[in-house]
Amino acid sequence: MQAAKPFRVGMIGAGYMAKLHSLSMNNLAGYTEDPADRFDLVRIVDTDAQAAEREATRWGWSEHGTDWKTVTRDPSIDVVDIATPNDSHHEICLDAFAHGKHVICEKPLSVNSEFAAEMARKAHASGRVHMVNFTYRAWPAIAQARALIKSGAIGNVRHFEGHFFQDHNNDPTIPLHWRFKKGPAGAGALGDVGAHIIDLARFLVGEVDSVVATTQRFIQERPLPHDRSQKGQVEVDDLAAAMVQFENGATGTIKASWALPGFKNDVYFVVVGDKGAVRFSWERSNELQFFDSADPQPISGYRTIPLGRAHPGAELFWFPALGGDLGVGVTAQGMGYGDAFTLSFRHFINALKTGESPAPNFVDGLRCCEIIDAILASAEQGRWVKVHRTIID
Amino acid sequence: MQAAKPFRVGMIGAGYMAKLHSLSMNNLAGYTEDPADRFDLVRIVDTDAQAAEREATRWGWSEHGTDWKTVTRDPSIDVVDIATPNDSHHEICLDAFAHGKHVICEKPLSVNSEFAAEMARKAHASGRVHMVNFTYRAWPAIAQARALIKSGAIGNVRHFEGHFFQDHNNDPTIPLHWRFKKGPAGAGALGDVGAHIIDLARFLVGEVDSVVATTQRFIQERPLPHDRSQKGQVEVDDLAAAMVQFENGATGTIKASWALPGFKNDVYFVVVGDKGAVRFSWERSNELQFFDSADPQPISGYRTIPLGRAHPGAELFWFPALGGDLGVGVTAQGMGYGDAFTLSFRHFINALKTGESPAPNFVDGLRCCEIIDAILASAEQGRWVKVHRTIID
Amino acid sequence: MQAAKPFRVGMIGAGYMAKLHSLSMNNLAGYTEDPADRFDLVRIVDTDAQAAEREATRWGWSEHGTDWKTVTRDPSIDVVDIATPNDSHHEICLDAFAHGKHVICEKPLSVNSEFAAEMARKAHASGRVHMVNFTYRAWPAIAQARALIKSGAIGNVRHFEGHFFQDHNNDPTIPLHWRFKKGPAGAGALGDVGAHIIDLARFLVGEVDSVVATTQRFIQERPLPHDRSQKGQVEVDDLAAAMVQFENGATGTIKASWALPGFKNDVYFVVVGDKGAVRFSWERSNELQFFDSADPQPISGYRTIPLGRAHPGAELFWFPALGGDLGVGVTAQGMGYGDAFTLSFRHFINALKTGESPAPNFVDGLRCCEIIDAILASAEQGRWVKVHRTIID
Amino acid sequence: MQAAKPFRVGMIGAGYMAKLHSLSMNNLAGYTEDPADRFDLVRIVDTDAQAAEREATRWGWSEHGTDWKTVTRDPSIDVVDIATPNDSHHEICLDAFAHGKHVICEKPLSVNSEFAAEMARKAHASGRVHMVNFTYRAWPAIAQARALIKSGAIGNVRHFEGHFFQDHNNDPTIPLHWRFKKGPAGAGALGDVGAHIIDLARFLVGEVDSVVATTQRFIQERPLPHDRSQKGQVEVDDLAAAMVQFENGATGTIKASWALPGFKNDVYFVVVGDKGAVRFSWERSNELQFFDSADPQPISGYRTIPLGRAHPGAELFWFPALGGDLGVGVTAQGMGYGDAFTLSFRHFINALKTGESPAPNFVDGLRCCEIIDAILASAEQGRWVKVHRTIID
């Protein structure tokens, strides 16, 4: 295997995501066995210099620093990877595109759809590759769900039920970090975890025409990060719930919360068509459920399908083909959250290699922001709101 | 055990419910071992004379006929049991109360809340016992869920997710019987199965302040019952979905459908509070799930609780006490749908014995109709609708 | 529907089973809508006169008493129903056959295979109908499992895993009743609950050739029933575990316990063949799991099949046909333990009507006792034991 | 973070395990944030030169070759990592210890307990670190299960049920590779997957005193790897089932198969004590089930515990602490099979740093081989076999 020239990456943001991104980039070529799938980890920056240094040491970033412009404006860097608070994405992305970079950006794309629209426009105009890291799309069970839907296995979609519920922020002693402030976050649970389930609704069902929504804030005040004896005001939603009308006639509900006890990491959806249904929960991420109404009544029931090499993307991992003709192979070895990022970065590097920006790109990121904005507007105004869709071309 | 004078019952409607009601009344005293818990099955009537005769023969009704007034106006009858199409409940109930009968009526109470309000008023004024057969309230897992909520085990309720989904009416060859017509049914899936989940939402969380809703009709035409070569128009919803605001500040969604493939009989709810959650699905009706956020992290997770004699009502069935002090007993023997009706009728006969009409009575039936009306109005008008609540006193 | 002459029944034993048997007999004709399916409850007897009177009052037995011979020798009685401690079955059955009665007997048939063999011989010679109430055979999910196996859906059986585990007797304060004594019970958990899973192993897989087994007693002493300040010696197994070799080449394990915390009522089996598998647990009695290895890999997984009218026996209950051509019907309404007995008694009355003794008859009861004896012998002798099979013809 | 001198590793065997081991070693220090946790991937060898080169390129091994002695005898190498066919472990390990290497060896340790005993003796005598890669021990759910057992949470263990069932080798077209031959493999499913569940039985319950077992071969012949038109004889078990007596009085069953349709990767166990139980299946590897019989009856049931940072080892992965006092954190992000190896190698490097060989070391590997030998002997001889335990000191 002949080593190809790796893509040179600079990362902005050395928080939780640095680990997942770095691991994925470092290991990708091993998984794919394609020497072109290599990233060179050039520089990582963060406003917190210690964090940047720590992550550089952990994952082999050659350099570290605090100034994000040393990433966006470094001529030796090909790719900018952005994992900063939501309100900084706009400025960084614009600068990156202005300097000819390819960009992968964490979700949500921005704190409102005006910013997001500008980012999508610039991304499109730049001719560079752009991707928003809606990492669940690449998950084999979810990719398989979509494949089943697209194949007609469940017929025409009638109804979608989706939520992303967690419970960790039910702890009132968690300090008032940036995710609880309207400015840097844009939205609360809705932006943080809701962005994912909104994206999956679009991925699995189609475009959202209109929404009606409500939001709740369960914990009004939290300790200040740097003086926990003082409290400050939470400014965002702890729960958002929306009823949605899809363009294709299906209806659905989309919900997000980070403070519902008992839900640990429940990226959940069921998509029901006139011929069947698919169902998934991240809490049992290694299985997909599929109902086929063509099954004879005595054996009619949901199949619980363990992930295996037959599912899109899983072939990279721990499911060896065994040389038999039946293609059974070892299944159900179990994949984890980190593996989702490996698959996202494979998706991204495939785009880098072809120069095209497939979904989920910045237009998908924009669509998500538009839906978030519609949900917030609906919750504030108490009425159905049509999702405004900015044309990007 | 000295036999007490049984309650003399007349039943109106000899369809599907006749079996469940008759079995429950015939067997109740054996379950409770209280000789006062006996019903005398005096007369069953139906517009279909053959059906009435058939059910009379099956279950030992002394007489059968076709004229419901021979039930409501028979001085020897104490109790009128109504299981007819929804639009007939109004006239029958009023006549029954006018003639001094106690009444148990199948859900929904009526086809609209105006009728239901009049029925509730008359019921209240009559001084007789009145009950709407929201049979799920009596189910031990659901009664236990409510007991946990009332005890504070899940804290203040934040969010409710409930649906009653079935799929049988996805079969387009099912003829256009009364449940598909607006007149006799009032609503479609919403009235048929939705009434139950609406009632459970009130039972578990509290009163609904307002709703925003949408409905869908998946199958527009069905074969005529008496000439299946011809088709007629379906007039009701196949799916209704509502977002609700509860008076106590909780939010939620309530949905109903009878045509969502893969959902067989999914009376589903999760009630999430700030300290825990309870979760239930009728598809696994013999278990209740409970999450307690006070559990230490290493063992934090939903308990799956099999039904046993510790749960309200279950002590009547197959869970013998074994003479030990720990109260473990045999659990998880399994209860069925028929047993739910036995428990409803125990509830009813307890009311007959005391003369009081506890929930779910006609006021509960009215409240359900008011919410159904609000949902239909919201779906038609595309806006939030406040639930109108008629005062009954 | 013209009333036929009912079968006149006398019941011996007014304990826990009286309720389930009486309910089943009282209600059967209503379920089947066959007027020939009626039982006349003539007399119930028990050594405990109060128990006999109580059950007579509850369920409408015309007479009650304490002398079982008033049942076996009453010329007006057609059928003897036996639900007494295991060691009494032998004498009662022989007397019943000697007096020309049909017999239904609770499991296990007797306390050892010598007695059971004599009973089977007399039953066979009597020309009367004889049945052992292995009630799980009639359960729709289990009957469906067998139908799948017989149809070849799972291919040749390779392995069987079965247990019947409960935990109630983990309570050491439960008194030393007859089930804990070798004489009246024959075996402990093995005879009480193990008999059922042994019968299912035969029902689903075939005859057992040989066994190797171990038993455990967890609680050595229990309070005396009539003086709980004193303790007496438990004489039977709390757990029995056997490895078995079936005649057809399959292997398996069969286990029974009534004192394993966490297992509530786990009648569990998985039958694995070379083309698929079926799996069931009574703790989720309203579903059957089926794996078909012919499914394409992307949708390969166990189906979870909710019970509905398509499954053998379920059509009697709460699953109305709705007049459509697809045969979907309402499924998953939920059946309970009591309904299993209704199905057993339907099986029995069908036999009474034809005069033939289909499985599970006394020969099946004998086979079960022979396997229990082999297991106990193996556990005592520490070696593989071939199951002795007495020829009955 | 100051870089420490890494441990220099040579790997022997470039098959399926090379990927999992290499990834784990490459990434470990990033996970642990300990600069001492680094491995230097010096050389990988395999009899298949192409395989060695391929894996070297994928994962950054500095050199590759075909002669394993260039690993065991290279003075610059500290650690030998062995992932070759089972029959080669003996010679390689002895040579490695003879040359002063630390050794991590894939399971089973050897093809029989005589070889294994010699290996354990030499390992012990060498003073070097030795480990057998029973990777499941380190899995957070399993480590938590053991912690619960050790803490007394389930009381005294009564019964163990364990199996490792897969189905991939049900495909008869899979060629006759080394795992199907007695010489190189020692045993079939029993050695391949059974070794893991045997090790877990010891880990969770304790030492095995004696066994009685049976084995089955389902597919007698398979195509030859290099001429698939010809077939050769399978020499090993497709299924092994054993009943076991533990030294502490508990009983259990241990089973292994790679050809049972429907079981995908079911490393399953339930450990039942007198106060509770723990239950686990690899098919739902991200959850642990725990039953506590001290729970009040109304809420008595198994807890389903999603993995989170509270569970041993999970803190390395995707479960950030959020700065709150309650310690809830993000749970249920999902870990995968690869992460299990990361945890095994953390365990190994901790041993390298201290110089001690904690379990699972070569003595544990020996114990597993002794149990495998006893199972095979029992299956051949048809009798209970006491497990011979060689003293290593």
Side-chain angles (χ1 to χ4, degrees), chain B residues 144 148 290 295 297-306 310-311 326-328 331, chain D residues 144 148 290 295 297-306 310-311 326-328 331:
Chain B
Q144 181 65 47
L148 285 166
F290 170 53
D295 275 342
Q297 283 300 299
I299 58 164
S300 175
Y302 266 100
R303 285 171 175 91
T304 299
I305 305 165
H311 302 113
L326 303 186
V328 177
T331 53
Chain D
Q144 181 64 47
L148 286 167
F290 169 53
D295 275 343
Q297 282 299 300
I299 58 164
S300 175
Y302 266 99
R303 284 174 177 88
T304 298
I305 306 165
H311 302 113
L326 302 186
V328 178
T331 53

Side-chain angles (χ1 to χ4, degrees), chain C residues 19-212:
Chain C
K19 178 186 198 168
L20 290 151
H21 288 219
S22 304
L23 274 165
S24 296
M25 289 189 276
N26 277 338
N27 296 316
L28 185 61
Y31 282 106
T32 64
E33 298 189 62
D34 181 343
D37 287 352
R38 290 192 303 132
F39 292 95
D40 188 349
L41 278 56
V42 175
R43 185 176 300 120
I44 187 166
V45 301
D46 197 288
T47 52
D48 176 344
Q50 285 187 312
E53 182 179 1
R54 184 191 66 227
E55 297 304 309
T57 306
R58 289 173 84 180
W59 310 114
W61 294 91
S62 303
E63 300 171 18
H64 56 87
T66 58
D67 179 3
W68 60 262
K69 287 179 183 153
T70 65
V71 172
T72 53
R73 299 180 182 187
D74 180 336
S76 81
I77 284 178
D78 306 314
V79 174
V80 176
D81 179 357
I82 303 170
T84 53
N86 305 343
D87 62 340
S88 62
H89 295 175
H90 177 255
E91 185 183 7
I92 296 170
C93 283
L94 296 199
D95 204 59
F97 290 125
H99 292 85
K101 307 306 184 201
H102 306 293
V103 177
I104 180 168
C105 184
E106 271 300 328
K107 38 53 60 182
L109 183 56
S110 191
V111 290
N112 62 52
S113 52
E114 286 72 32
F115 279 178
E118 187 181 4
M119 294 160 78
R121 247 184 259 114
K122 298 288 189 184
H124 186 71
S126 74
R128 300 294 160 172
V129 169
H130 44 100
M131 180 169 153
V132 179
N133 192 29
F134 290 120
T135 193
Y136 296 101
R137 283 196 185 207
W139 188 251
I142 296 177
Q144 181 65 46
R146 179 170 149 114
L148 286 167
I149 295 169
K150 294 299 160 192
S151 76
I154 68 166
N156 294 313
V157 176
R158 288 178 167 175
H159 193 66
F160 172 83
E161 214 167 49
H163 62 227
F164 193 157
F165 285 161
Q166 299 179 323
D167 67 0
H168 52 81
N169 282 341
N170 192 39
D171 176 352
T173 69
I174 292 177
L176 190 71
H177 56 61
W178 69 267
R179 288 198 184 278
F180 296 112
K181 307 296 286 184
K182 174 76 180 165
L190 179 61
D192 185 25
V193 294
H196 281 300
I197 192 66
I198 290 170
D199 183 66
L200 290 180
R202 291 183 63 247
F203 182 59
L204 296 167
V205 183
E207 294 296 347
V208 173
D209 177 79
S210 49
V211 303
V212 64

Side-chain angles (χ1 to χ4, degrees), chain A residues 144 148 290 295 297-306 310-311 327-328 331, chain C residues 144 148 290 295 297-306 310-311 327-328 331:
Chain A
Q144 181 65 46
L148 285 167
F290 169 52
D295 275 342
Q297 283 299 300
I299 59 164
S300 175
Y302 266 99
R303 285 173 176 87
T304 298
I305 305 166
H311 301 114
V328 178
T331 54
Chain C
Q144 181 65 46
L148 286 167
F290 169 54
D295 275 343
Q297 282 300 299
I299 58 164
S300 176
Y302 265 99
R303 284 173 177 89
T304 299
I305 305 166
H311 302 112
V328 177
T331 54

Side-chain angles (χ1 to χ4, degrees), chain A residues 224-296:
Chain A
L224 298 182
H226 301 299
D227 177 3
R228 295 183 61 168
S229 68
Q230 302 294 313
K231 286 191 167 185
Q233 181 65 34
V234 173
E235 298 170 357
V236 296
D237 55 286
D238 284 321
L239 179 146
M243 200 147 56
V244 306
Q245 178 68 47
F246 292 94
E247 288 198 344
N248 61 14
T251 60
T253 46
I254 295 175
K255 302 180 184 180
S257 180
W258 53 28
L260 286 183
F263 291 99
K264 294 301 184 178
N265 228 311
D266 199 30
V267 187
Y268 170 82
F269 62 78
V270 59
V271 188
V272 192
D274 55 7
K275 295 183 180 169
V278 291
R279 193 158 60 179
F280 174 82
S281 163
W282 187 262
E283 295 191 4
R284 287 182 170 159
S285 56
N286 279 279
E287 62 197 44
L288 174 66
Q289 296 203 319
F290 169 52
F291 179 82
D292 181 353
S293 59
D295 275 342

Side-chain angles (χ1 to χ4, degrees), chain C residues 160-165 189-190 193-198 214 239-244 252-257 260 266-268 375, chain D residues 159-162 242-243 251-255 270:
Chain C
F160 172 83
E161 214 167 49
H163 62 227
F164 193 157
F165 285 161
L190 179 61
V193 294
H196 281 300
I197 192 66
I198 290 170
T214 187
L239 179 147
M243 199 146 57
V244 306
T253 46
I254 294 176
K255 302 180 184 178
S257 180
L260 287 184
D266 199 31
V267 187
Y268 170 82
I375 288 172
Chain D
H159 193 67
F160 173 81
E161 213 165 51
M243 201 146 57
T251 61
T253 46
I254 295 176
K255 301 180 184 179
V270 60

